[in-house]
Amino acid sequence: ARARFDKDYFRKRLAVPGICGAASYEAIKGTPRFLHLYEADDVHAFYSEAFKEAVAPSEDEDEGIEKAKTAGVRLVCAQIYPALPINTPACPTVDLAGLAPVVQFGRIFVPPEKRADFNGWYAQERAPLVENVPGIRRIRRYAPVEGDEVMVVLYEMEDESVTQTAEWKEMMSTDWTARVRGYYRQAEGSPGVYRRCGIAY
């Protein structure tokens, strides 16, 4: 029943020109409890009349979801790491990789005067270390074009045990990481770890 619901729920959205992937997730830890991820060729797809029509509540399951919501976070983001196009063995395209079985979704507030240091840390240290952790499919960073002014980070994993590996723990304990943690602030419930509900589309 869940698989049929997901297929029907995403069918309208995936029919929108520019929308190329979708999956739903439930939190293992963190909030919100549920996470819907949509992949698009361009952020403009989310502002098209076709997408607005696709996500408008109807009288069936969509309306039930809207009534059941207790809180929500909407972020429309443009990918900034790795730079597009991503079509290499290390950074495969969405068609090659799909949306992973488990993701860690982070929303980070960084003081303006510290953003150069934060960006340097992510590009020069954090991202290369994460990409070498066993079980990591991809790491991506996004800049919101709608929603809170946060740094958005998505780690795609084979399963949640990735965060228990020696490589993950080493990546989390560098001197630069300790310095950065001294000035950034996580959004409430972040980072959330989410397990995919069913398949990715």
Side-chain angles (χ1 to χ4, degrees), residues 46-152:
F46 297 113
Y47 298 100
S48 67
E49 290 302 318
F51 188 78
K52 292 176 183 177
E53 182 177 342
V55 300
S58 64
E59 294 181 358
D60 51 21
E61 290 92 345
D62 285 0
E63 187 176 52
I65 289 174
E66 291 300 316
K67 288 180 178 178
K69 283 183 178 178
T70 57
V73 176
R74 173 184 164 89
L75 288 169
V76 178
C77 304
Q79 183 171 312
I80 58 174
Y81 180 91
L84 295 176
I86 48 173
N87 191 18
T88 68
C91 300
T93 63
V94 171
D95 290 339
L96 291 175
L99 284 164
V102 172
V103 298
Q104 178 169 296
F105 179 63
R107 295 167 288 139
I108 304 168
F109 294 93
V110 180
E113 68 276 10
K114 297 292 188 179
R115 287 177 186 167
D117 183 62
F118 181 90
N119 289 333
W121 167 66
Y122 239 105
Q124 298 171 42
E125 180 180 277
R126 172 51 66 93
L129 288 176
V130 172
E131 287 169 345
N132 287 321
V133 173
I136 288 286
R137 285 191 179 187
R138 285 185 296 187
I139 172 177
R140 290 187 278 171
R141 281 190 61 206
Y142 297 87
V145 298
E146 178 185 331
D148 290 337
E149 190 175 348
V150 293
M151 303 287 185
V152 176

Side-chain angles (χ1 to χ4, degrees), residues 9-10 13-14 19-25 34-40 46 75 99-100 102-105 140 142 152 154-156 194 196 200-201:
Y9 182 79
F10 287 125
R13 293 149 176 82
L14 289 168
I19 304 298
C20 55
S24 61
Y25 293 82
F34 294 103
L35 176 69
H36 286 174
L37 292 180
Y38 298 98
E39 299 269 351
F46 297 113
L75 288 169
L99 284 164
V102 172
V103 298
Q104 178 169 296
F105 179 63
R140 290 187 278 171
Y142 297 87
V152 176
L154 186 71
Y155 297 172
E156 298 185 65
Y194 293 83
R196 197 177 66 208
Y201 296 93

